Amino acid sequence: MAKKDTYLALLRRGIDETTSMTLADAGLKIGDLKKITIETLTDNYGLKKKVAESVLSVISAEPSSQGRQRYLSKVLTSDKKKMDKIEEERFKRQQKDILADLEEEIERLKSKLSKEGIFDLKKEIPMFPENIGVLTAKDSHALKDVCSKLQEKYPLARVCVYPSTVEGASAQMSLAKMLNKINKDNIVDVLLIVRGGGSLQDLMAFNDENLVREISKSRIPTITGIGHKPDITLADYAADSAQETPTAAAIKAVPDCNVVRQDIYQLDISIN
């Protein structure tokens, strides 16, 4: 219901249907959009800069007369409640159709890559990494959660952040390009590829064929933490280790320093 309300509210302000649907699908509300930045819309939601600027320029204003007229002509009749119900059902059917098409597309690609053995190429995760890479959106909750957990469990490691768009039309290219750079730089011992939860549409960048192939052939061991249980993407299948959340990926990447200290202490006692 919240998605539908956002979608209709954006239409009333004269924002085009595609952009309105993108923002509504992302779970954003009008209140969220009033606090958001152009950079966030472009980096996290895949909007072009001009589109993002247009959205923010009208979002704080009342619906434009042109937008209101378009909205009224499309959605409202004398029987408003009836039309609202029809619009809601249409919106739900569209969502189901989109999801069904995406799921079918993912399954076809999964079968193709599986037959090629793309998901069988696994590397060992190092036990005591000195340098840990994190590939995710800049200033995201996922990044904060990962850094916090790594600091808590294993503060000896150095964390290298590689920012990328993780959602929207340009996300898969941004992720693949950054992954290629990480391998060329060859600085980190293990790489965490993470992002927070979202809808199937939100996570589609991680089902991109080129990105999945790049993850599979990465010389640096990879750990994914994409979304939340039960989210799973083709990137998870290609990674050397797939975890349910970004925090779980951080836990998988490092030992517990307290356990290491205890082991050293016990070893010292046994020797002496």
Side-chain angles (χ1 to χ4, degrees), residues 21 25 91-99 201:
M21 185 71 75
D25 284 345
F91 184 80
K92 288 179 179 179
R93 286 197 301 273
Q94 284 181 337
Q95 292 299 301
K96 287 181 180 179
D97 291 342
I98 290 171
L99 289 175
Q201 295 100 312

Side-chain angles (χ1 to χ4, degrees), residues 1 6 15 28 30 45 47 57 76 92-93 103 108 120 148-149 162 181 199 219 231 241 262-263 265 269:
M1 191 68 180
T6 300
I15 296 173
L28 293 172
I30 296 299
Y45 301 100
L47 298 190
S57 69
L76 300 180
K92 288 179 179 179
R93 286 197 301 273
E103 288 169 352
R108 281 199 302 267
D120 301 331
S148 175
K149 183 56 67 175
Y162 295 91
K181 170 180 167 50
S199 66
R219 295 190 303 274
D231 297 330
S241 176
Q262 186 63 29
D263 289 344
Y265 176 72
I269 291 176

Side-chain angles (χ1 to χ4, degrees), residues 125-129 132-134 142 145-154 190-194 223-225 241-257 259-260:
I125 306 298
M127 290 185 63
F128 303 101
I132 301 171
V134 184
D145 290 345
V146 165
C147 290
S148 175
K149 183 56 67 175
L150 291 176
Q151 178 63 27
E152 173 192 328
K153 279 200 70 185
Y154 197 65
V190 63
L191 176 64
L192 278 59
I193 304 172
V194 299
I223 303 174
T224 51
S241 176
Q243 302 299 311
E244 292 179 349
T245 65
T247 300
I251 292 172
K252 177 67 177 178
V254 294
D256 189 322
C257 62
V259 174
V260 173

Side-chain angles (χ1 to χ4, degrees), residues 123-143:
K123 295 172 288 298
E124 288 188 10
I125 306 298
M127 290 185 63
F128 303 101
E130 295 181 12
N131 297 290
I132 301 171
V134 184
L135 175 57
T136 190
K138 181 176 64 174
D139 299 327
S140 64
H141 289 299
L143 177 59

Side-chain angles (χ1 to χ4, degrees), residues 162-234:
Y162 295 91
S164 170
T165 304
V166 297
E167 186 176 322
S170 63
Q172 55 264 40
M173 185 179 298
S174 176
L175 287 161
K177 184 178 179 180
M178 187 59 75
L179 181 55
N180 188 265
K181 170 180 167 50
I182 293 167
N183 273 275
K184 284 183 178 179
D185 291 347
N186 198 28
I187 295 172
V188 299
D189 304 306
V190 63
L191 176 64
L192 278 59
I193 304 172
V194 299
R195 71 146 284 162
S199 66
L200 178 60
Q201 295 100 312
D202 296 337
L203 303 178
M204 276 305 292
F206 296 92
N207 290 307
D208 177 72
E209 180 175 356
N210 181 51
L211 176 61
V212 172
R213 290 183 183 277
E214 288 292 330
I215 292 172
S216 177
K217 70 181 184 182
S218 170
R219 295 190 303 274
I220 297 169
T222 54
I223 303 174
T224 51
I226 301 166
H228 298 290
K229 188 178 180 179
D231 297 330
I232 187 164
T233 67
L234 298 183

Side-chain angles (χ1 to χ4, degrees), residues 9-79:
L10 292 173
L11 285 181
R12 285 197 294 270
R13 285 166 167 78
I15 296 173
D16 67 276
E17 288 189 6
T18 300
T19 303
S20 297
M21 185 71 75
T22 297
L23 297 175
D25 284 345
L28 293 172
K29 299 178 181 178
I30 296 299
D32 299 327
L33 290 169
K34 289 181 179 180
K35 303 173 185 176
I36 216 163
T37 64
I38 292 173
E39 289 73 23
T40 300
L41 287 177
T42 56
D43 293 347
N44 293 1
Y45 301 100
L47 298 190
K48 293 182 179 178
K49 186 176 180 181
K50 289 186 177 179
V51 175
E53 290 173 345
S54 298
V55 169
L56 296 187
S57 69
V58 301
I59 204 66
S60 59
E62 288 297 319
S64 68
S65 59
Q66 182 181 4
R68 187 184 293 109
Q69 185 178 8
R70 187 187 309 146
Y71 173 79
L72 290 171
S73 66
K74 284 188 174 184
V75 180
L76 300 180
T77 65
S78 57
D79 189 354

